[in-house]
Amino acid sequence: MAGYPARATVKEYSAFRLLVEGLRGHTGWKPTWRAVEPKPRYDVVIIGGGGHGLATAYYLAKNHGVRNVAVLERGWIGQGNTGRNTTVIRSNYYYPESIALFDMSVKLYEGLSRELNYNVMFSPRGMVIAGHSRHDMELMNRWAGAMQAYGVDVGLISADEVKRRVPALDTKNKRWPVWGGFTQGRAGTARHDAVVWGYAHAADRLGVDIIQNCEVTDFRKASNGHVVGVETSKGVITADKVVISVAGSSSLLAERAGFRLPITSYALQAFVSEPVKPVLDVVSWSLATGIYVSQSDKGGLVFGGPLDLYNSYAQRGNFPTAIHAVGALAEQYPSFGRVRILRQWAGLVDVVHDSSPILDETPVPGLYINCGWGTGGFKAIPAGGWVMAHHIATGKPHDIGKPFNRKRFENGRLIDEAAGAGIAH
Amino acid sequence: MTQSFRSASGGLVERGRTLKFRFAGREYEGYEGDTLASALLANGVRLAGRSFKYHRPRGLIAAGPEESNILVTVGQGGRRTTNLRATEVDLYDGMVAAPVNCWPSLRFDVGAVNNLFSRWLGAGFYYKTFMWPHWMLFEGFIRRAAGLGQPSTEADPDRYELAYAHCDVLVVGGGAAGLAAAKAAAAGGRRVILCDQDTRFGGSLLWCDAEVEGLRGRDWVDRTVAGLSTQPNVRLAPRTTAVGHYDYNSVVLLERVPGREGEARDGARERLWQVRAEQVIYACGALERPIVFPGNDKPGIMLASAARQYANRWGVRTGDRLVVFTNNDSAYDAALAAADAGARLIAVVDSRANVDAQRQKQITACGAELITGGAVIETHGDTVLKGVTVREGAGRTRRIACDGLLMAGGWNPTVHLYSQAGGKLRWEDARAFFRPDGVRDAIACVGACNGTLGLAAALQEGHEAAAFGRAGAPASPQTEEPAIEPLWRVDAPGKAFVDFLNDVTAGDIAQAARENFVSVEHLKRYTTLGMAPDQGKTSNVNALAVMGEATGRAPAQVGTTRYRPPFTPVSMASYRGRLRGDLYRPYRHTPMHAWHLAHGGKIEEFGEWQRPALYLQPGEDHEQAVRRECRAVRTACGLFDASPLGKIEVRGPDAARFVDLIYANTMSTLKPGKLRYGLMLNELGIIIDDGVAARLDEETFLVGTTSGGADKIAAGMEEWLQCEWIDLKVLVAPVTTDWAVINIAGPASPQVLAAVGCDFDPDPKRFEHLSFRTGAVGGIPARVMRVSFTGEASYEINVPADRALDLWERLYAAGKPFGIEPFGIDALMQMRTEKGFLHVGSDTDGTTVPADVGWTKVANRPVDFVGKRSLLWETNQDPSRPQLVGLSEAGGQVLAIGEHVRDPKGDKPTIGYVTSSGYSEALGRGVALAMIQGGRARIGEELVTTRSGQRVRIVEAAAYDPKGERLNG
Amino acid sequence: MLLIKCPFCGERDEIEFRCGGESHIQRPASDVSDETWGAYLFARENPRGVHFERWVHHAGCRQWFNLARDTVTHEIRSVYPITAPRRGPSQ
């Protein structure tokens, strides 16, 4: 198993090890994950080295003992949406199917740093959603009732309490006065890259091969139609099972495999300001403008808004959408007006009609897919990986993953959070 | 002793205008024309800031927006701006500025303790610890230690503007190449915008001793700018930075309007321009690279080109005893300029073994020593530079005392915007930089921005790009260009900084390489390199080259990170422009708005319209007012402003066929003069709107929609007609705001109508419910419909919007004897709730199909219509779906909207929720509607609310007048 | 920011328009299978490259038209009537 013991007697990363390495110039650190070339054959090949693909690999190895696994990444791991999102983690979803999935994910995040022996900086600092009309408040009461019934830690707060928790928010704004708020205490943020590197690190130490700069160009199928491998920029790799976990590029690989998905890829923009001293202690979200903002540990205000208005494979945003997002933030948080935007970027998000994921086997036997997370995939990385690993290893969908099948786009059994609860993802 | 480092003459400052300012608690003087940076240096201020992580003492390193050491806070209260680069702050009299990120003072900074522990605080240390017991325990400390400046906590009172412009040629950068381009474009009669981030045009001609067309560079600039400024087809935009390049040559510019930063001003502080240009010419120059050597961050060490700018542009000497450390020829001119400004040049340390003889001569002529094949391997001094240790070519080391060190590591063309535009870059080994590669339509890079460092060639490129509308000639190394031999890192012990602002060292990069963070993006994210407010302008190329050395790759193989907008930081408020407060989004008012306000109307926004929720009378609370209004309607008469109701005229020979397609129920059988209620679906079978349609004549329907749905439904109809049913001969005209709607409801309403006079018989027995009349009410032409959302005898009077207030006032006056009251949305919703009438958006959500609200038969309609096929899905016929029913609380209490209920005998945490609710004045108890799973089959069953445990019973939706007997008065 | 040549009004900034998504999708009759209906509603080409889509000049003439746009470069390759078959470079 390629070099490292599965379980070290001394934790590879700890305050003690840091102390020792500091004294000897950090020369003793091993690669966080190994740089390897692909073997000709694996039990499972996972396409896509984002959070979901790496988590799938980790849980295959950890939960199911399937360790002859390769993760193939076209560029560098985490280059897609995992490394481009605004890092919000929450489970305040409306439908029980969604609650089961996302709350599982939050629970896994809660123990993730120690599980992976890598600090992903999960920061359950709480989330406040501001409502701006009577209708908003009624809607929030409806969410709260459903979520509380299913055991999610949400609640309603007054406008004064919103102001106390989010002092920068102009609760008396002319056009968007705040009527009250909706909170989830366990919601928060994590360091997105660390989630990638943590899963990569832990999966690697269990024997998973993580292969970067390896683009999958086509699939190999047996005469019975079963997938038997992939063609890549590093040659042919055979595998019993193959997983597509590539978010915005899902349609392209599906086309190579011979089926079509209910996905449209859009650019979703995110923004970060220059670092400033702490001015915002929670994740704050406005129902009126759809703008959500938090402050990173480094001090940057990280925020985003709605999708760009037409489908795109360009990882760059459009200015009219930026005007809306930044302008609305400056209006709702007037003391941020002179804080300056440092960077703006975009991810390619895989949007399906009901904004819920697809976690399923494809029409090609042996080929699985994890996609359709749209704008909300980061928060679901641990659960997505866990559920997919179960499906692949056992051949049967995990109970929590079952409702998120492909067939719902034929039989209409959608799990439409945006429609049901009005929360955009 | 003020301005002791200012030369006796020279520079572009107005020595007659002395400005006093305070920095870090001390008072200084500068001149008009200074930046804060140049003024600080003129006063010999070396230690001017602290670094982000280790709080190391830092001084100015650059003279432009690439400055990566000295960030300051200026202004008070809502005008406090932080993280401003000292190089971009124009000095004014009375300015107060403070460095960021040091406490309690710049000289004694507690955070500097981090420097002692720096060996444990290297790249990514936080990923390896702080896991036990959990991150939140440590996060607070980290957050407080991080961040740079302290921003304002008050609202920014300044004004901002969004502006738009079109031109034939946008020239970005007003140096030699840009001016040449603008001049040529203007001469060709094209509309030109020339912008430059600096307060004045000229670029490097402001500080290089160059000659253009027989003139001193500076004079040529003055002449050219003067010439351009008189041409009507040229717009000059100094202080304006191009920050983003978007599709179709749409370039975003940030203009910093002249003014005293941090003080009140009359006009806008900043203006964000969106410019659409036929051709964009990037002439934005090049940025000099630092050299990565141990101790390279000590105050007193700066870029050679910066020292040259301070010397020539501001007449400021950056040290008394200077050493220069270079790997290329360009540093020699800088060294000579510094010497001219009064500094003593001690030595030039050139990493190259062979240096041009002419250069050698120049150096020795100043009495300085040239050390070839050498390197600076250590720097000395506590908080400011006192000396350097140099390793000579032969390996011998020696110490040289100095108070200034100029470093020159080569040049990076400013390719950021070209790269944002999708332009590819090419690495040139001989010149050691990335430059634009390939020719792109309508985008040209010229001069240093194109890698053309020689002046004559830059001028020619600029001219040609504009004159011939094409990219500059492919730049090849020219004799007038400075020769260079890359030196990416001096191999010696000690902290050698690559990213100064984020405190990233060559050692951090080596560690990242060991840990497999070898991709340039991983390097950036792991070490935070290039992510500070300077966005890596001075560090990126050095970093990727150092990483390349560590991993055996050439810079071209390592590649660059993505250049992302904005080029320099842009204030959030500038994106908002003047959209602020009331102006942020338009208000929609009805013609009766002022009347509502005058009569106690409590206005709220409903479906984008400002509407009265209720009318408050003296001494009343909200609930009392709503109950009074309901009472009036149920017993006498009420007046309701229904103007926002959507109204769409659908006309043509195929109008009847068309409405059959867009409604879930049949409309074509409607007789002229009659009305019918209908549901509209989307293709998924989901209810998206409802309303009453009137057939005006054989070929004309007036389709009524909800207030919020009016625009969407009209747009949707157009889409169906233009894109799908293109053969249908139908015209759609949205007429919502042409007609105001006054709803008069209640048993006395026929008498009130009669009292104002109408030319039809209003008697509800003869003017039947769900029919309409065209005629006149009070002499005003009207379309009157007998529809009711309250359950009472009711008339919706559609009149031209400009006549509505007149009629409203007359109806109100005429109704007074009958007890008429205006009523608002709250009373209306209350009355329709007790009637069990559906309200789309309250009782439905984006998952509700017709069967859920009792419309089970439309799926069997024999013809096709929008959404029909989806109704045939098994899931949409499932009897356990949520269904609209009534709920009755055991004690008559009012249930909260959104409250969930469960079956005490079942195990589901919730089986539905309250969609509409309120206190029924007519029934003397609470009434509610709810969506309950399988609800219609469970009428009579008892449930409990999930949170409050209230007992509720499932009942029919209509609680009041279930047979509808009151409709006819 | 796209510059779109409305066939009726000429070149205008994209903020005057709205994108209606993939064009040329055949609407099936209401007696088709779940699979066919689901494909009509949800399955999309979503190409990386030329996308044939429909737009409306919402803040102008309110007319719909088709265009072929590259989803990577956002370059508009052709604009053609709503009733016309695909026009422009093949993918």
Side-chain angles (χ1 to χ4, degrees):
Chain A
M1 210 178 37
Y4 307 115
R7 201 175 291 268
T9 46
V10 176
K11 282 239 159 88
E12 195 166 342
Y13 298 137
S14 65
F16 174 72
R17 285 275 291 133
L18 187 67
L19 184 76
V20 171
E21 284 299 330
L23 293 172
R24 60 174 182 178
H26 299 276
T27 52
W29 299 117
K30 295 193 179 89
T32 306
W33 68 94
R34 297 158 297 138
V36 287
E37 289 302 308
K39 296 187 286 191
R41 192 200 157 277
Y42 290 92
D43 294 343
V44 180
V45 159
I46 296 166
I47 309 170
H52 281 273
L54 292 162
T56 304
Y58 172 71
Y59 292 115
L60 272 171
K62 172 85 186 322
N63 295 358
H64 304 281
V66 181
R67 296 181 174 195
N68 187 23
V69 175
V71 177
L72 310 183
E73 167 54 52
R74 180 174 61 186
W76 37 279
I77 59 170
Q79 75 168 355
N81 296 340
T82 312
R84 292 170 184 273
N85 69 89
T86 47
T87 80
V88 175
I89 292 165
R90 62 187 176 88
S91 62
N92 46 3
Y93 281 73
Y94 184 72
Y95 289 110
E97 295 88 346
S98 311
I99 290 174
L101 183 68
F102 290 99
D103 212 48
M104 173 195 197
S105 210
V106 171
K107 287 188 180 117
L108 288 168
Y109 262 120
E110 283 164 353
L112 197 59
S113 293
R114 279 185 280 164
E115 165 85 24
L116 303 176
N117 182 222
Y118 204 87
N119 187 2
V120 302
M121 302 182 191
F122 176 58
S123 166
R125 52 183 68 178
M127 170 177 227
V128 174
I129 305 179
H132 304 271
S133 67
R134 195 184 330 191
H135 185 255
D136 283 356
M137 297 315 296
E138 291 167 359
L139 195 66
M140 288 177 170
N141 194 39
R142 179 183 162 199
W143 304 345
M147 295 171 201
Q148 287 170 352
Y150 284 96
V152 183
D153 61 320
V154 298
L156 297 177
I157 56 175
S158 67
D160 287 344
E161 182 62 14
V162 172
K163 182 73 188 172
R164 198 187 66 76
R165 296 194 197 189
V166 194
L169 180 64
D170 177 13
T171 53
K172 306 220 186 297
N173 185 274
K174 274 275 175 41
R175 295 306 270 129
W176 296 302
V178 173
W179 284 54
F182 178 81
T183 63
Q184 183 181 16
R186 288 153 67 229
T189 59
R191 172 90 180 101
H192 55 11
D193 291 322
V195 174
V196 174
W197 302 335
Y199 272 116
H201 171 70
D204 176 272
R205 299 306 190 255
L206 292 173
V208 171
D209 282 354
I210 295 160
I211 300 147
Q212 302 187 102
N213 303 310
C214 180
E215 181 168 11
V216 171
T217 52
D218 213 340
F219 295 90
R220 293 227 160 167
K221 296 183 200 172
S223 54
N224 64 3
H226 201 285
V227 72
V228 292
V230 291
E231 294 175 13
T232 79
S233 55
K234 297 194 175 198
V236 174
I237 303 171
T238 61
D240 299 339
K241 291 175 179 177
V242 176
V243 190
I244 300 173
S245 192
V246 297
S249 300
S250 297
S251 298
L252 308 177
L253 284 177
E255 196 208 343
R256 301 305 308 169
F259 60 95
R260 195 173 272 198
L261 288 168
I263 283 182
T264 307
S265 298
Y266 289 94
L268 176 69
Q269 298 193 52
F271 307 83
V272 65
S273 77
E274 296 179 325
V276 291
K277 292 295 178 197
V279 288
L280 177 64
D281 296 331
V282 298
V283 180
S284 178
W285 192 349
S286 161
L287 278 188
T289 59
I291 305 298
Y292 46 93
V293 56
S294 65
Q295 190 173 18
S296 75
D297 290 333
K298 238 186 121 196
L301 292 163
V302 182
F303 63 101
L307 290 173
D308 276 12
L309 299 172
Y310 39 85
N311 55 341
S312 171
Y313 279 88
Q315 281 179 325
R316 57 199 162 89
N318 202 2
F319 201 65
T321 312
I323 284 272
H324 164 75
V326 185
L329 188 84
E331 173 61 10
Q332 290 193 292
Y333 303 81
S335 63
F336 294 172
R338 293 169 103 92
V339 176
R340 301 192 290 180
I341 300 291
L342 187 55
R343 271 191 309 280
Q344 169 249 313
W345 66 95
L348 296 185
V349 296
D350 41 342
V351 175
V352 295
H353 184 84
D354 64 357
S355 325
S356 288
I358 300 172
L359 304 165
D360 206 348
E361 193 165 357
T362 70
V364 179
L367 181 61
Y368 297 79
I369 192 156
N370 171 356
C371 68
W373 294 98
T375 63
F378 176 72
K379 69 174 85 71
I381 284 170
W386 185 289
V387 165
M388 282 313 286
H390 177 97
H391 198 154
I392 294 155
T394 66
K396 292 197 183 63
H398 190 285
D399 278 347
I400 285 178
K402 228 180 247 170
F404 300 96
N405 56 54
R406 281 185 302 118
K407 278 283 175 196
R408 72 182 194 272
F409 297 102
E410 291 173 11
N411 61 29
R413 292 183 191 278
L414 304 179
I415 305 163
D416 199 337
E417 282 289 331
I423 306 184
H425 295 254
Chain B
M1 194 178 77
T2 62
Q3 305 204 50
S4 53
F5 282 77
R6 185 86 68 177
S7 58
S9 64
L12 294 165
V13 287
E14 293 181 40
R15 287 165 191 268
R17 295 181 62 188
T18 301
L19 311 176
K20 283 194 182 349
F21 69 102
R22 289 182 77 81
F23 176 76
R26 295 189 185 187
E27 194 149 305
Y28 301 99
E29 281 181 4
Y31 292 131
E32 182 74 33
D34 263 328
T35 63
L36 175 61
S38 63
L40 286 173
L41 287 172
N43 288 281
V45 177
R46 299 298 180 78
L47 168 65
R50 293 277 176 168
S51 69
F52 180 69
K53 187 155 76 170
Y54 303 135
H55 291 253
R56 288 167 71 99
R58 292 285 168 81
L60 284 152
I61 183 176
E66 73 274 27
E67 168 61 29
S68 51
N69 273 344
I70 305 309
L71 306 186
V72 299
T73 303
V74 178
Q76 298 296 318
R79 289 196 171 85
R80 178 187 177 93
T81 313
T82 192
N83 294 350
L84 291 165
R85 276 157 276 275
T87 53
E88 63 177 344
V89 179
D90 299 329
L91 196 71
Y92 60 82
D93 195 44
M95 172 183 280
V96 178
V100 303
N101 205 38
C102 47
W103 183 87
S105 75
L106 177 59
R107 282 168 192 287
F108 180 75
D109 176 19
V110 167
V113 71
N114 285 1
N115 198 31
L116 300 178
F117 296 103
S118 63
R119 62 165 67 206
W120 293 287
L121 304 181
F125 72 95
Y126 29 77
Y127 298 126
K128 294 171 175 147
T129 181
F130 304 137
M131 287 176 264
W132 191 92
H134 52 78
W135 168 242
M136 285 295 270
L137 194 67
F138 307 95
E139 190 185 39
F141 297 103
I142 301 268
R143 283 191 68 197
R144 279 191 293 279
L148 285 166
Q150 178 72 52
S152 166
T153 54
E154 294 169 36
D156 175 6
D158 278 349
R159 288 176 57 188
Y160 297 82
E161 286 171 2
L162 288 169
Y164 303 84
H166 297 259
C167 62
D168 298 317
V169 187
L170 170 67
V171 182
V172 176
L179 286 169
K183 206 170 135 185
R190 298 204 280 165
R191 291 173 304 156
V192 179
I193 295 176
L194 171 66
C195 70
D196 196 292
Q197 64 194 5
D198 206 335
T199 50
R200 54 201 302 165
F201 293 100
S204 65
L205 293 178
L206 297 177
W207 46 269
C208 290
D209 303 313
E211 199 171 281
V212 184
E213 294 170 7
L215 294 174
R216 196 169 67 130
R218 232 177 249 178
D219 298 333
W220 180 81
V221 170
D222 289 345
R223 194 185 70 179
T224 307
V225 171
L228 288 170
S229 66
T230 60
Q231 289 183 258
N233 54 333
V234 177
R235 185 202 293 252
L236 296 176
R239 323 170 61 93
T240 302
T241 309
V243 291
H245 189 120
Y246 295 85
D247 296 320
Y248 285 76
N249 270 356
S250 170
V251 181
V252 176
L253 313 177
L254 178 72
E255 178 187 357
R256 295 175 310 285
V257 181
R260 296 154 67 96
E261 177 58 46
E263 296 196 355
R265 53 174 88 205
D266 291 334
R269 175 174 176 248
E270 288 171 348
R271 208 170 276 133
L272 197 63
W273 290 87
Q274 293 175 62
V275 177
R276 182 87 73 173
E278 194 180 312
Q279 185 191 15
V280 178
I281 298 176
Y282 284 115
C284 28
L287 296 173
E288 192 169 36
R289 293 191 293 256
I291 300 180
V292 180
F293 60 93
N296 60 347
D297 66 328
K298 207 145 275 172
I301 304 177
M302 69 166 60
L303 294 168
S305 61
R308 193 173 176 191
Q309 290 179 64
Y310 286 118
N312 287 348
R313 170 127 179 224
W314 289 287
V316 169
R317 173 169 95 247
T318 49
D320 285 327
R321 292 171 57 85
L322 296 182
V323 172
V324 176
F325 183 20
T326 184
N327 65 352
N328 72 92
D329 285 351
S330 69
Y332 289 79
D333 293 329
L336 298 174
D340 283 349
R344 185 168 160 224
L345 189 61
I346 309 292
V348 173
V349 181
D350 196 319
S351 63
R352 298 170 297 176
N354 299 304
V355 174
D356 178 64
Q358 181 65 28
R359 300 289 192 194
Q360 291 195 26
K361 231 180 271 167
Q362 288 173 329
I363 296 307
T364 41
C366 307
E369 180 185 9
L370 176 65
I371 303 170
T372 56
V376 175
I377 58 165
E378 196 183 351
T379 63
H380 308 283
D382 234 357
T383 52
V384 296
L385 186 71
K386 299 250 170 75
V388 296
T389 299
V390 175
R391 183 171 64 205
E392 295 179 352
R396 196 170 64 93
T397 64
R398 68 183 155 109
R399 186 166 165 160
I400 302 173
C402 61
D403 64 352
L405 175 66
L406 313 187
M407 53 184 169
W411 295 86
N412 292 331
T414 307
V415 296
H416 304 61
L417 285 130
Y418 178 76
S419 179
Q420 281 181 29
K424 298 272 179 289
L425 304 178
R426 187 174 67 198
W427 176 257
E428 288 207 9
D429 250 339
R431 301 154 86 191
F433 56 53
F434 284 100
R435 60 167 288 255
D437 189 21
V439 177
R440 284 177 62 84
D441 289 345
I443 303 174
C445 293
V446 298
C449 177
N450 192 37
T452 304
L453 300 181
L455 178 60
L459 287 162
Q460 188 188 340
E461 272 185 14
H463 175 81
E464 286 181 358
F468 309 125
R470 59 175 164 80
S476 52
Q478 288 138 3
T479 48
E480 59 171 346
E481 289 201 1
I484 182 168
E485 285 173 22
L487 169 67
W488 298 118
R489 186 175 66 87
V490 173
D491 192 8
K495 276 198 165 49
F497 286 86
V498 181
D499 181 327
F500 292 81
L501 191 40
N502 264 354
D503 277 340
V504 183
T505 66
D508 290 324
I509 296 175
Q511 186 195 332
R514 271 197 294 280
E515 296 189 90
N516 201 19
F517 294 99
V518 294
S519 149
V520 65
E521 287 283 354
H522 280 156
L523 171 67
K524 167 181 120 180
R525 288 153 184 265
Y526 188 60
T527 62
T528 75
L529 196 145
M531 299 179 88
D534 65 338
Q535 291 153 305
K537 288 189 177 67
T538 56
S539 62
N540 276 345
V541 174
N542 277 345
L544 67 92
V546 171
M547 173 55 86
E549 283 187 346
T551 53
R553 293 176 295 169
Q557 292 170 288
V558 180
T560 63
T561 55
R562 244 337 237 266
Y563 291 98
R564 289 167 172 158
F567 173 66
T568 52
V570 179
S571 67
M572 295 199 201
S574 68
Y575 284 76
R576 187 193 58 199
R578 289 183 178 173
L579 300 179
R580 175 167 216 178
D582 284 327
L583 298 179
Y584 201 93
R585 201 165 49 125
Y587 291 101
R588 300 185 84 176
H589 293 147
T590 76
M592 277 74 84
H593 186 71
W595 192 95
H596 301 323
L597 290 176
H599 290 78
K602 290 288 145 203
I603 305 295
E604 279 180 37
E605 188 155 298
F606 295 95
E608 297 183 2
W609 288 84
Q610 301 290 309
R611 308 182 70 176
L614 48 92
Y615 299 82
L616 213 52
Q617 291 187 357
E620 273 182 338
D621 66 15
H622 285 220
E623 193 194 332
Q624 288 165 334
V626 174
R627 287 171 61 172
R628 170 181 49 73
E629 290 171 15
C630 289
R631 209 157 51 230
V633 176
R634 293 267 185 247
T635 61
C637 184
L639 209 49
F640 178 76
D641 182 357
S643 302
L645 277 178
K647 296 169 275 289
I648 304 165
E649 284 190 17
V650 175
R651 177 174 296 193
D654 295 319
R657 275 180 66 197
F658 180 60
V659 290
D660 267 0
L661 284 163
I662 56 153
Y663 275 105
N665 48 323
T666 306
M667 283 292 175
S668 56
T669 53
L670 195 59
K671 298 274 181 287
K674 293 293 182 187
L675 314 172
R676 187 174 291 164
Y677 174 76
L679 290 180
M680 289 188 207
L681 315 181
N682 64 17
E683 278 285 59
L684 276 78
I686 308 297
I687 298 171
I688 53 169
D689 212 295
D690 70 343
V692 169
R695 189 163 199 169
L696 302 184
D697 58 46
E698 272 304 319
E699 295 200 347
T700 313
F701 288 79
L702 179 61
V703 171
T705 74
T706 59
S707 315
D711 296 341
K712 276 175 283 201
I713 298 296
M717 286 181 178
E718 279 290 354
E719 185 171 4
W720 283 116
L721 283 169
Q722 289 184 38
C723 303
E724 186 64 37
W725 298 307
I726 54 175
D727 295 332
L728 291 186
K729 293 186 168 56
V730 178
L731 287 176
V732 169
V735 296
T736 300
T737 49
D738 296 280
W739 298 87
V741 181
I742 300 169
N743 176 212
I744 180 165
S749 34
Q751 288 112 294
V752 178
L753 277 179
V756 294
C758 50
D759 62 358
F760 54 85
D761 181 355
D763 187 318
K765 302 282 189 308
R766 283 177 292 277
F767 181 7
E768 287 176 352
H769 184 57
L770 292 182
S771 61
F772 83 93
R773 301 272 188 275
T774 37
V777 177
I780 297 168
R783 290 168 168 174
V784 185
M785 316 216 176
R786 283 273 284 118
V787 290
S788 177
F789 206 33
T790 57
E792 299 299 320
S794 168
Y795 303 79
E796 276 183 4
I797 308 165
N798 290 248
V799 290
D802 59 337
R803 311 290 299 275
L805 180 58
D806 179 23
L807 179 60
W808 175 279
E809 287 177 331
R810 284 154 65 186
L811 284 166
Y812 184 62
K816 268 282 164 73
F818 300 96
I820 199 167
E821 302 264 9
F823 66 104
I825 298 274
D826 283 13
L828 179 78
M829 294 303 272
Q830 174 50 43
M831 287 185 278
R832 70 93 197 161
T833 300
E834 62 200 30
K835 282 294 297 172
F837 289 155
L838 178 76
H839 183 243
V840 169
S842 296
D843 301 311
T844 68
D845 64 19
T847 66
T848 311
V849 298
D852 302 343
V853 298
W855 286 46
T856 51
K857 293 193 187 116
V858 292
N860 306 325
R861 252 177 90 193
V863 297
D864 195 10
F865 56 90
V866 174
K868 178 188 173 176
R869 178 60 187 78
S870 296
L871 300 182
L872 303 177
W873 276 330
E874 199 184 301
T875 182
N876 284 343
Q877 310 203 335
D878 185 345
S880 68
R881 286 179 65 89
Q883 294 172 337
L884 188 68
V885 290
L887 278 189
S888 175
E889 206 271 341
Q893 296 292 306
V894 176
L895 295 165
I897 295 174
E899 193 68 32
H900 281 252
V901 293
R902 64 184 174 84
D903 181 349
K905 297 188 288 292
D907 55 4
K908 284 191 174 174
T910 160
I911 63 162
Y913 61 95
V914 177
T915 58
S916 300
S917 176
Y919 180 79
S920 169
E921 176 69 7
L923 298 171
R925 62 175 170 85
V927 292
L929 300 176
M931 276 289 186
I932 306 291
Q933 291 173 8
R936 277 200 303 279
R938 309 180 65 168
I939 287 184
E941 287 184 29
E942 200 163 89
L943 307 173
V944 292
T945 59
T946 54
R947 282 181 292 193
S948 52
Q950 287 167 288
R951 288 187 302 122
V952 296
R953 187 174 299 280
I954 308 179
V955 295
E956 293 288 350
Y960 180 73
D961 183 30
K963 294 203 176 116
E965 290 157 341
R966 300 187 59 83
L967 284 172
N968 294 318
Chain C
M1 278 175 280
L2 304 180
L3 190 60
I4 299 173
K5 191 165 188 175
C6 169
F8 307 96
C9 309
E11 283 188 340
R12 301 295 171 89
D13 191 279
E14 72 167 69
I15 58 171
E16 294 187 15
F17 299 84
R18 285 186 188 168
C19 180
E22 184 176 333
S23 196
H24 308 290
I25 296 173
Q26 203 69 36
R27 183 174 189 264
S30 59
D31 58 356
V32 294
S33 68
D34 277 1
E35 194 181 346
T36 306
W37 185 250
Y40 156 69
L41 288 177
F42 303 120
R44 294 293 176 262
E45 283 192 355
N46 196 28
R48 188 177 200 280
V50 177
H51 187 237
F52 298 89
E53 59 199 19
R54 69 192 194 198
W55 287 71
V56 60
H57 192 186
H58 181 79
C61 60
R62 295 179 82 97
Q63 295 300 298
W64 285 86
F65 56 89
N66 284 321
L67 60 79
R69 178 179 59 91
D70 189 308
T71 59
V72 180
T73 64
H74 293 173
E75 185 192 354
I76 295 168
R77 310 290 285 272
S78 65
V79 176
Y80 56 101
I82 192 70
T83 51
R86 289 184 171 199
R87 187 178 297 172
S90 61
Q91 282 163 243

